[in-house]
């Protein structure tokens, strides 16, 4: 448990330390956020705010994990691989937007292809090299269900595709949520802390047996990674709190979401991620509903999507939206934790 706390603290301090010089560097290079023309008018005042802030906390996550996690553990390497790979993809996307001075970065299909390649590789390696539980030899390729504790659906190698969808979906869901100062940062911290606890419980045979959870040998080390994510996001929030001095950009949002998805796959709690990260699901569904409705009927369900912009158009102040969404994230995290005990 000590290494978990140290990793989180170190990641936070690294992120805070990097902040001033990194923000100033971005300002000098004029790597500022471009605001979409059809977005809320209040956001135009944020134009030029440095972006790519994800690089700050990715450094904290990487250092905290590499120094205090067990590097012989395949799950640690895979969640870190997904995080950094998605972060690198997000960096190129952010860089393309900055240089083009538009909201159009890497093409959607190209980005999806890269995400799918990284996610498929990570899930395959976790399934192949993960240490199977003697009592459940097919757990690595099976889908577990909350509440129905012993229920398993063995998907075989189709699970690789399913796990990849979880990672890609989580990554883009967090990206949709990242639209207001601090809106995505705190819910990610809440989800990471929740999954850090889940990883510890699932990776400990005694706790897993008591709670009737599926025991995943070695996955407890992922808790160190989760602590590093919490610490890094906390450090980033120092600069991202309203009014934000820096935005995380795609380099941060894609990485954090992908990392959470990878942790959910590693711990066999993919469905619980949809509960704990329900806020991200809501944001994504709002976009899907808006697009489908407009294409089919020519009408919009929301005044603007993702849904946090809808509330802006209704006249809610930005801090009100952010704090209320944080409260929803806490409630959903508690609901997700409740599934560990419910039968």
């Amino acid at each position: 448990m000590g290494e978990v706390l140290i990793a989180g603290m170190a990641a936070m301090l690294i992120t805070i330390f990097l902040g001033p010089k990194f923000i100033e560097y971005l300002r000098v290079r004029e790597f500022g956020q471009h605001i979409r023309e059809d977005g809320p008018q209040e956001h135009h005042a944020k134009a030029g705010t440095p972006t790519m802030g994800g690089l700050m906390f990715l450094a904290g996550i990487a250092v905290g994990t590499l120094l205090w996690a067990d590097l012989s553990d395949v799950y640690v390497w895979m969640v870190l691989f997904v995080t950094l790979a998605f972060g690198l993809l997000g960096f190129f996307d952010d860089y393309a937007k900055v240089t083009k001075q538009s909201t159009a970065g890497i093409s959607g299909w190209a980005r999806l292809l890269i995400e799918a390649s990284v996610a498929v590789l990570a899930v395959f390696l976790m399934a192949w090299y993960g240490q199977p539980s003697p009592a459940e030899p097919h757990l690595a390729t099976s889908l577990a269900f909350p509440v129905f504790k012993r229920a398993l659906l063995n998907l075989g190698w189709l699970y690789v595709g399913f796990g990849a969808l979880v990672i890609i979906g989580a990554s883009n869901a967090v990206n949709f949520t990242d639209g207001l100062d601090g809106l995505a940062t705190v819910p990610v911290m809440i989800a990471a802390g929740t999954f850090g606890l889940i990883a510890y419980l699932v990776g400990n045979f005694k706790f897993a047996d008591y709670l009737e959870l599926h025991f995943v040998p070695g996955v407890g080390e992922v808790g160190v990674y989760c602590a590093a994510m919490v610490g890094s996001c906390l450090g980033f929030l120092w600069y991202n709190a309203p009014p934000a001095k820096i935005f995380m950009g795609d380099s941060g949002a894609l990485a954090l979401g992908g990392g959470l998805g990878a942790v959910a796959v590693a711990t066999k709690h993919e469905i619980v991620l949809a509960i704990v990260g329900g806020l991200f699901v809501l944001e994504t569904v709002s976009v899907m509903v808006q697009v489908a409705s407009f294409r089919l009927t020519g009408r919009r369900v929301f005044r603007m999507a993702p849904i946090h912009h809808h509330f802006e158009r209704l006249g809610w102040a930005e801090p009100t939206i952010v704090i209320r969404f944080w409260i929803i994230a806490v409630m959903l995290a508690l609901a997700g934790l409740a599934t560990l005990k419910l039968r």
Side-chain angles (χ1 to χ4, degrees):
M1 185 60 71
E3 61 271 15
V4 171
L5 298 176
I6 295 174
M9 182 65 71
M12 179 185 68
L13 293 176
I14 289 170
T15 306
I16 292 176
F17 175 77
L18 289 175
K21 292 184 178 180
F22 186 69
I23 293 173
E24 182 59 28
Y25 173 79
L26 294 176
R27 286 190 184 279
V28 172
R29 296 295 300 271
E30 298 184 350
F31 286 166
Q33 180 74 31
H34 185 82
I35 306 298
R36 51 192 273 196
E37 294 299 327
D38 60 341
Q41 291 301 310
E42 298 84 356
H43 287 211
H44 289 284
K46 301 180 181 182
T49 301
T51 186
M52 301 185 194
L55 298 179
M56 288 167 50
F57 55 72
L58 285 178
I61 291 173
V63 172
T65 302
L66 291 174
L67 289 183
W68 282 280
D70 180 359
L71 299 185
S72 67
D73 190 288
V74 65
Y75 299 113
V76 170
W77 282 110
M78 287 304 100
V79 296
L80 192 58
F81 164 66
V82 169
T83 304
L84 296 180
F86 276 48
L88 183 62
L89 172 62
F91 165 75
F92 285 119
D93 198 38
D94 286 334
Y95 187 79
K97 292 176 182 177
V98 169
T99 54
K100 294 177 183 177
Q101 284 296 297
S102 75
T103 57
I106 299 173
S107 71
W109 285 110
R111 194 171 84 172
L112 184 61
L113 179 61
I114 296 171
E115 289 174 348
S117 300
V118 171
V120 166
L121 178 60
V123 177
F124 174 80
L125 292 176
M126 280 192 280
W128 185 263
Y129 289 106
Q131 303 172 20
S133 171
E136 298 174 316
H138 301 295
L139 179 61
T141 56
S142 297
L143 174 63
F145 296 89
V147 182
F148 304 99
K149 295 300 185 70
R150 297 304 182 187
L152 278 178
L153 176 61
N154 187 6
L155 299 175
W157 289 107
L158 291 176
Y159 178 80
V160 173
F162 172 79
L165 285 176
V166 171
I167 293 174
I168 295 169
S171 177
N172 287 281
V174 173
N175 200 30
F176 282 133
T177 307
D178 180 35
L180 300 177
D181 298 351
L183 178 59
T185 308
V186 172
V188 165
M189 289 170 54
I190 294 168
T194 301
F195 268 90
L197 176 59
I198 290 174
Y200 176 74
L201 296 174
V202 171
N204 185 296
F205 177 78
K206 292 183 178 179
F207 286 124
D209 183 62
Y210 172 73
L211 294 170
E212 297 184 28
L213 302 174
H214 300 285
F215 173 52
V216 184
V219 83
E221 283 298 312
V222 173
V224 177
Y225 164 87
C226 291
M229 181 182 286
V230 172
S232 290
C233 287
L234 188 60
F236 179 71
L237 187 63
W238 184 265
Y239 306 102
N240 188 233
K245 295 181 179 179
I246 189 170
F247 300 140
M248 69 169 65
D250 287 357
S251 59
L254 291 179
L256 293 176
L260 287 175
V263 171
V265 170
T267 57
K268 311 307 299 179
H269 277 69
E270 304 90 348
I271 296 177
V272 172
L273 176 62
I275 301 173
V276 173
L279 178 63
F280 308 130
V281 175
L282 175 63
E283 294 273 13
T284 305
V285 170
S286 70
V287 174
M288 296 170 65
V289 169
Q290 187 85 326
V291 172
S293 176
F294 187 74
R295 288 183 178 179
L296 294 174
T297 68
R299 297 182 179 180
R300 292 179 171 86
V301 176
F302 305 103
R303 295 194 177 186
M304 188 175 181
I307 198 170
H308 56 262
H309 290 318
H310 171 76
F311 290 110
E312 281 191 291
R313 290 290 178 88
L314 289 178
W316 289 26
E318 181 173 330
T320 301
I321 299 170
V322 171
I323 293 174
R324 286 179 177 174
F325 275 39
W326 289 355
I327 295 171
I328 292 172
V330 171
M331 294 169 62
L332 290 169
L334 293 175
L337 287 174
T339 65
L340 300 182
K341 189 60 179 173
L342 291 175
R343 292 173 175 79

